[in-house]
Amino acid sequence: LRDAGEDPEDPGGYFIINGSEKTIIAMEEMVDNKPIYQDDDGEQVCRINSENSGYVQRHVLRRDADIVNISFANVKKTPAVALIRALGYETDKEIVEAIGEDYASDVYLNIYETGASNKEEAYEFVAGKAGVTNDVEERVDSILDEYLLPHLGQEPEFREEKAELLATMIRNVIALGKGDITKDDMDHYANKRLNLAGVLLEMQFRS
């Protein structure tokens, strides 16, 4: 090291870029694949970072005026029950039972908000919210399989699992609004992760 002009006592762990010392520090993020429930200015929110093989899709469910909307990818502020119907739960009874009969009145209110009474109408509704005008069935299939909760799988056979998890998240958002459950502690380390240098460099090369 001395022959190379370096200090053998230098602890390292940094880079020299344009004459300045740079270092990589840990980055704190919300844990992947776990729904986190929060109160946000009087609105109940569920956030989940769905990760599959390095691909992360962020989802936000927000309860506003008793309607639980979901936003992810190019789907913005869409009543989440529309996605449950599109995933294969076609009857109102199936949707209510999946979410919870204790909150049936809230669920019916959300169902009526969509105006969709079957899978085909749910596809059209989701397509409208996503700005899809052509090849509706093919592109909504892609939204449901590839972008919705990809950590559960990205093939059609995983749609029932996605519907079940989505129903659970809707139920818990409603329950949080009614005081039946408490919000999660975002400062608890069970709800977050520290990305160290290796992970951060991997993310840079992958992007």
Side-chain angles (χ1 to χ4, degrees):
L1 285 173
R2 286 194 182 92
D3 293 341
E6 298 289 345
D7 181 359
E9 302 299 326
D10 191 320
Y14 62 91
F15 305 90
I16 304 297
I17 302 175
N18 294 330
S20 299
E21 294 180 0
K22 303 289 184 180
T23 187
I24 299 175
I25 61 174
M27 182 178 294
E28 190 176 281
E29 287 192 351
M30 191 176 82
V31 65
D32 291 334
N33 304 333
K34 179 181 179 181
I36 305 295
Y37 301 94
Q38 290 281 286
D39 245 325
D40 188 1
D41 294 329
E43 296 177 352
Q44 293 72 50
V45 180
C46 171
R47 294 182 173 88
I48 180 171
N49 292 340
S50 181
E51 186 272 338
N52 187 338
S53 301
Y55 169 73
V56 178
Q57 183 61 250
R58 290 175 170 81
H59 299 62
V60 178
L61 280 79
R62 186 178 298 272
R63 181 174 181 256
D64 182 17
D66 296 327
I67 304 300
V68 181
N69 292 313
I70 185 171
S71 298
F72 68 99
N74 61 333
V75 178
K76 306 300 180 186
K77 295 182 179 179
T78 301
V81 292
L83 289 168
I84 293 181
R85 198 183 292 278
L87 287 165
Y89 285 46
E90 292 207 47
T91 68
D92 294 353
K93 184 174 184 293
E94 287 177 314
I95 295 173
V96 170
E97 289 177 347
I99 296 174
E101 296 183 3
D102 290 344
Y103 304 113
S105 59
D106 294 86
V107 178
Y108 280 118
L109 181 63
N110 280 263
I111 290 172
Y112 298 148
E113 180 73 11
T114 69
S117 59
N118 54 50
K119 184 175 179 179
E120 289 72 24
E121 291 179 1
Y123 266 53
E124 292 290 342
F125 184 84
V126 173
K129 289 291 187 178
V132 174
T133 56
N134 299 318
D135 303 318
V136 168
E137 183 174 354
E138 179 182 346
R139 293 179 66 182
V140 173
D141 279 340
S142 176
I143 289 170
L144 297 176
D145 295 331
E146 297 177 27
Y147 299 102
L148 176 64
L149 302 171
H151 73 284
L152 295 177
Q154 293 179 296
E155 300 297 333
E157 58 262 31
F158 297 105
R159 290 189 181 184
E160 184 170 356
E161 290 181 51
K162 293 183 179 185
E164 290 173 356
L165 178 56
L166 191 55
T168 298
M169 291 192 293
I170 294 171
R171 177 172 65 250
N172 287 339
V173 168
I174 295 172
L176 180 61
K178 294 182 178 296
D180 295 337
I181 65 172
T182 58
K183 66 181 182 179
D184 291 314
D185 181 4
M186 279 302 298
D187 292 326
H188 196 291
Y189 275 95
N191 297 326
K192 58 186 179 181
R193 291 291 182 269
L194 288 175
N195 291 333
L196 304 181
V199 174
L200 295 173
L201 285 172
E202 179 192 356
M203 291 167 62
Q204 290 299 314
F205 284 116
R206 188 168 60 237
S207 62

